């Protein structure tokens, strides 16, 4: 799981990028560099946190298989986790989900 530590440390400089204080429409979030860096940072860290348990479970299940070394099982688990994280990051950045709160006012 050293790969996860390396990915987390590689993105650590992004922690210096604060959330922008101005608003942009959700559809234009990828057009503004400050919002893009912030969204990328949050997406990377959340997707790594989400995919780490999946990678650990895959590695544990594969490690129990006869004929497969624990190093190879861990490598496959990390690859599966990174593939899942990459898919989440790509989907989130390419197609941001926008929602609006609608409040009904009774006449």
């Amino acid at each position: 799981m050293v790969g996860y530590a390396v990915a987390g440390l590689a993105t650590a400089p992004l922690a210096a990028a604060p959330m922008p204080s101005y608003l942009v429409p959700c559809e234009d979030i990828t057009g503004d560099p400050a919002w893009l860096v912030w969204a990328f940072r949050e997406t990377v860290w959340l997707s790594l946190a989400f995919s780490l348990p999946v990678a650990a479970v895959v590695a544990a299940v594969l490690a129990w298989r006869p004929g497969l070394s624990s190093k190879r099982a861990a490598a496959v688990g990390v690859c599966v986790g990174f593939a899942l994280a990459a898919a989440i990051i790509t989907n989130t950045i390419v197609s941001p989900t926008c929602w609006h709160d609608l409040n009904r006012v009774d006449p």
Side-chain angles (χ1 to χ4, degrees):
M1 300 300 160
V2 174
Y4 276 87
V6 169
L9 290 174
T11 58
L14 293 176
M19 181 177 177
S21 59
Y22 55 90
L23 298 176
V24 294
C26 182
E27 295 82 12
D28 297 333
I29 199 166
T30 57
D32 187 291
W35 275 101
L36 183 61
V37 168
W38 183 80
F40 180 73
R41 178 190 74 186
E42 296 297 313
T43 305
V44 166
W45 289 347
L46 289 174
S47 64
L48 287 176
F50 173 74
S51 65
L52 179 60
V54 174
V57 167
V58 168
V61 167
L62 291 177
W64 284 27
R65 291 183 53 119
L68 191 61
S69 70
S70 59
K71 286 183 181 181
R72 184 164 290 184
V76 171
V78 168
C79 287
V80 167
F82 278 165
L84 179 61
I88 293 169
I89 292 166
T90 303
N91 185 40
T92 303
I93 296 296
V94 169
S95 60
T97 303
C98 303
W99 66 86
H100 304 282
D101 290 329
L102 298 176
N103 295 321
R104 181 177 176 187
V105 177
D106 289 328

